[in-house]
Amino acid sequence: TLSEWISSLKQVEALDFDIVTPGHSSVGTKAEFTAYREFFEDLQVAVTDAVNSGMTLEELLASDVLTDYSDLPNYVPQRDRNIEEAYGLVLQQD
């Protein structure tokens, strides 16, 4: 689930490090890693709220949700995929 993913990010974030080299993203600082975790927390909230309000996936993708994170590496190519995956996960929880 997305909650488990966020929990694992928090566990990594609690470690003592300055630089992180993830396997599927850019090398970054601890602050950048924190921003990445915050993105996923906000993704979970935004998608859950959208599903609960009856918003379709297409409507959510067309919205300006998560634009506060547009400066994150890989935001543009991964935004829609992240929303789609989170949307499916939230639907599975219902």
Side-chain angles (χ1 to χ4, degrees), residues 51-78:
V51 168
N52 289 341
S53 70
M55 185 180 281
T56 66
L57 175 59
E58 291 74 22
E59 291 170 328
L60 183 57
L61 289 170
S63 75
D64 65 353
V65 68
L66 303 171
T67 55
D68 290 347
Y69 296 96
S70 61
D71 60 335
L72 287 179
N74 298 315
Y75 170 84
V76 172
Q78 295 295 326

Side-chain angles (χ1 to χ4, degrees), residues 9 13 31 33-43 69:
L9 293 175
E13 190 179 6
F33 188 86
T34 297
Y36 179 69
R37 188 245 323 136
E38 290 170 345
F39 166 81
F40 278 99
E41 288 176 332
D42 287 350
L43 172 67
Y69 296 96

Side-chain angles (χ1 to χ4, degrees), residues 3-92:
S3 294
E4 291 168 335
W5 177 253
I6 292 167
S7 177
S8 68
L9 293 175
K10 286 180 179 181
Q11 289 175 10
V12 172
E13 190 179 6
L15 299 173
D16 183 20
F17 67 91
D18 295 319
I19 302 293
V20 64
T21 56
H24 297 286
S25 189
S26 304
V27 172
T29 65
K30 190 166 191 172
E32 291 167 328
F33 188 86
T34 297
Y36 179 69
R37 188 245 323 136
E38 290 170 345
F39 166 81
F40 278 99
E41 288 176 332
D42 287 350
L43 172 67
Q44 182 179 36
V45 170
V47 171
T48 300
D49 289 350
V51 168
N52 289 341
S53 70
M55 185 180 281
T56 66
L57 175 59
E58 291 74 22
E59 291 170 328
L60 183 57
L61 289 170
S63 75
D64 65 353
V65 68
L66 303 171
T67 55
D68 290 347
Y69 296 96
S70 61
D71 60 335
L72 287 179
N74 298 315
Y75 170 84
V76 172
Q78 295 295 326
R79 177 195 179 267
D80 288 358
R81 181 173 174 256
N82 285 325
I83 290 172
E84 290 167 358
E85 292 291 327
Y87 197 90
L89 290 171
V90 169
L91 287 178
Q92 287 177 3

